[in-house]
Amino acid sequence: MTNQTKSQFIAVASITSELSAVMVVAKEISLAAANAKAIAFRAGDKAKGFQPITDFINELAKETIELVTNINIYALVLYRLTVEEYHKTIAFNKFELAAKMAEGALYAESMQEPVDQARLAMQDCQRRFKKDVSQLLGQLEEVMHHARAARVIAANSRIEASQAGEYLQSLQAVAESVDKAAHTIHDNVQRCRIALSIYRNS
Amino acid sequence: MKMTKIYEGSHQWIMFGRDEGKPGNIVDTNQYVVRTPNRCLLLDPGGAELFAPMMAAVLHHAPVDQITDLFASHQDPDVISSLGLWDQALTNAKLHAPALWEGFLRHYSCDSIEYVGIPDNGGTIKLESLELQLIPAHYLHSPGNFHVYDPQAKILMSGDVGGSIEPPDSPVFVDNFSAHVEKMRYWHQRWMPSNQAKRVWIERVRNLDIDILAPQHGRMFKGDDVKRFLDWFDALQVGIAV
């Protein structure tokens, strides 16, 4: 296995690992939103500005979970494609070697077609991999967008929390947890993007 | 890869083996080709490591599009782990292999090649006018195992039965049976699990008219050495590891 193939396998496997962490965090945000909603309900008028924010937080968490679920399916497709490309590359290399070893054999020329077919199949896999990586990077960008939106919401939550009197601490804790979660999502997704981006134009 | 023609008539048998380029840590194997005017059958075509030299060797005898049939006596990697590569190289081929092993052998990839499962009681392979018989050899050593008998050429390709591990420069035929026995003893005692299966196989094979017994490892037996081998094997206790 070449170093390029090894890093390709590692890159694809690391996406699944990073995204499972993102999924945990997105579920935590969803929980934080439910918690915030209960606090805001108890706080009544004092947390009036906070109530619509909880809906935003919940919506954002749901969308992130949905996106990550789709990306995970896509990552699996990318993994299978990596395996296919690996097999096609081995076949091409072995066919080329067979053709070389057969030089001078009566039917050596008949090996040319399998060599050409194997080359085309390998190149097709490489093209599909690049295309799929580009699409996956687009989907990851969308998750980043959600993470950025979550941070804005967290900032607004802090402002609204400051108006909530005795509920200030509870609501600030919600804002903190959303902000922390958004950071984690941002960092994990960023790592996925870095791991994959070298294959987009390779 | 050494090529030895072992039968020439209306069709040919060629033995391939003693590959000098093979990695030292994998077991040496014999591959056989049956060539009819327009078709070619590879018997136990070998492991993935052997694909390129084997394909190159076959191209001395047949073009790629005339390699129409593969046979795997059983499921072992030294027998058929090259299947995934043949599957990509051949566009119109069949694999004749034990039906018992189909779900397992497909792990090597078998998408374009048609898997023709051999039922437990055996069958035949038709290559143009030639009909080869598939002789059951279950538990010798694999639970689903077949050998190939050619009644015209009087050759029995006997898979692991008759096998021995030899240095790469060894002759392809046994030339001194008594001296050869010690090279086969442990192989058969350890790899063959069942005395009953052995007895049934010997009874079956004694009814065949055999000039050459062609195992997948080591040297082939011809003439009187075939009978000598059957007698020796008959008397041997196998399955010694328990």
Side-chain angles (χ1 to χ4, degrees):
Chain A
M1 193 184 279
T2 63
N3 284 340
Q4 156 94 11
T5 315
K6 275 183 200 163
S7 1
Q8 198 167 311
F9 269 112
I10 292 166
V12 173
S14 71
I15 297 168
T16 316
S17 152
E18 298 285 2
L19 289 183
S20 71
V22 169
M23 191 67 112
V24 171
V25 171
K27 283 176 183 165
E28 278 171 15
I29 296 182
S30 183
L31 207 65
N35 190 29
K37 196 162 190 169
I39 297 168
F41 182 75
R42 279 203 303 278
D45 281 351
K46 287 176 187 168
K48 210 169 181 180
F50 205 93
Q51 283 169 4
I53 290 176
T54 61
D55 292 333
F56 274 123
I57 298 172
N58 192 35
E59 194 65 23
L60 206 63
K62 269 188 189 167
E63 283 175 11
T64 305
I65 290 168
E66 204 173 304
L67 257 175
V68 170
T69 306
N70 287 339
I71 293 174
N72 264 330
I73 295 167
Y74 215 82
L76 188 65
V77 170
L78 210 60
Y79 174 76
R80 286 188 182 137
L81 192 54
T82 305
V83 173
E84 193 184 339
E85 187 190 328
Y86 171 63
H87 286 149
K88 300 287 183 200
T89 304
I90 287 178
F92 172 65
N93 291 337
K94 297 266 187 194
F95 290 8
E96 265 206 328
L97 179 62
K100 197 174 168 201
M101 291 174 89
E103 274 172 19
L106 187 58
Y107 301 103
E109 279 185 13
S110 70
M111 195 59 210
Q112 195 53 50
E113 195 180 331
V115 170
D116 292 343
Q117 291 297 330
R119 183 189 291 109
L120 286 176
M122 179 183 70
Q123 288 169 344
D124 180 53
C125 278
Q126 288 164 347
R127 258 194 305 274
R128 278 157 55 206
F129 185 81
K130 274 185 199 171
K131 190 174 146 236
D132 286 356
V133 161
S134 288
Q135 288 189 10
L136 193 58
L137 282 168
Q139 287 181 314
L140 289 171
E141 175 56 40
E142 237 182 291
V143 180
M144 293 282 272
H145 181 74
H146 277 65
R148 283 193 287 268
R151 293 197 64 193
V152 172
I153 289 173
N156 286 340
S157 302
R158 277 195 202 99
I159 295 165
E160 291 300 332
S162 66
Q163 314 291 317
E166 70 265 37
Y167 294 99
L168 182 141
Q169 273 193 330
S170 307
L171 291 175
Q172 261 186 347
V174 169
E176 288 305 321
S177 77
V178 170
D179 195 39
K180 198 177 155 204
H183 262 293
T184 309
I185 291 175
H186 182 278
D187 291 352
N188 285 34
V189 172
Q190 183 64 358
R191 277 199 293 272
C192 289
R193 295 177 73 213
I194 291 168
L196 280 181
S197 55
I198 54 167
Y199 298 104
R200 180 170 44 189
N201 302 314
S202 64
Chain B
M1 175 96 59
K2 193 169 180 174
M3 295 180 262
T4 310
K5 200 171 281 183
I6 57 173
Y7 176 77
E8 173 103 58
S10 59
H11 62 284
Q12 299 172 336
W13 273 74
I14 306 122
M15 178 260 202
F16 300 80
R18 312 292 190 269
D19 181 27
E20 288 171 356
K22 144 189 114 51
N25 52 2
I26 61 171
V27 66
D28 190 34
T29 52
N30 302 331
Q31 291 70 234
Y32 298 92
V33 163
V34 180
R35 176 78 167 119
T36 58
N38 300 298
R39 286 174 65 181
C40 186
L41 162 69
L42 311 189
L43 305 175
D44 285 359
E49 286 289 342
L50 213 70
F51 172 82
M54 183 58 192
M55 173 63 104
V58 174
L59 292 176
H60 286 270
H61 302 275
V64 174
D65 63 353
Q66 288 188 13
I67 304 171
T68 53
D69 297 80
L70 308 178
F71 164 79
S73 59
H74 60 292
Q75 83 294 354
D76 276 353
D78 63 316
V79 168
I80 190 66
S81 66
S82 55
L83 177 60
L85 294 163
W86 293 108
D87 189 56
Q88 293 180 67
L90 309 179
T91 51
N92 180 31
K94 290 177 181 174
L95 170 68
H96 307 266
L100 188 71
W101 286 117
E102 180 168 354
F104 296 80
L105 281 173
R106 284 189 181 278
H107 276 276
Y108 290 132
S109 283
C110 185
D111 300 322
S112 67
I113 288 179
E114 180 190 347
Y115 193 108
V116 183
I118 308 166
D120 276 355
N121 60 349
T124 57
I125 298 175
K126 273 207 71 124
L127 278 184
E128 301 184 81
S129 62
L130 176 67
E131 187 169 279
L132 300 167
Q133 297 171 14
L134 301 169
I135 309 292
H138 306 311
Y139 302 105
L140 294 172
H141 65 93
S142 165
N145 210 129
F146 292 93
H147 296 160
V148 177
Y149 177 62
D150 178 346
Q152 277 185 50
K154 298 182 184 172
I155 294 173
L156 178 70
M157 188 277 182
S158 60
D160 282 316
V161 176
S164 59
I165 299 298
E166 297 271 351
D169 54 349
S170 299
V172 295
F173 280 104
V174 172
D175 46 12
N176 180 341
F177 186 82
S178 306
H180 190 65
V181 160
E182 287 315 311
K183 294 176 186 165
M184 302 190 288
R185 187 184 303 281
Y186 183 74
W187 173 272
H188 289 81
Q189 287 184 320
R190 184 65 183 88
W191 281 106
M192 306 298 158
S194 161
N195 287 303
Q196 189 191 347
K198 184 193 67 163
R199 273 193 299 275
V200 169
W201 179 84
I202 289 171
E203 273 171 32
R204 191 175 282 137
V205 166
R206 281 198 197 278
N207 291 324
L208 305 174
D209 186 7
I210 300 170
D211 279 349
I212 294 176
L213 186 110
Q216 194 223 345
H217 303 277
R219 304 189 196 192
M220 294 176 282
F221 303 79
K222 65 179 170 187
D224 292 341
D225 281 341
V226 175
K227 187 181 177 303
R228 284 191 192 103
F229 171 75
L230 294 177
D231 292 343
W232 171 82
F233 192 32
D234 206 2
L236 190 73
Q237 285 295 307
V238 299
I240 59 163
V242 287

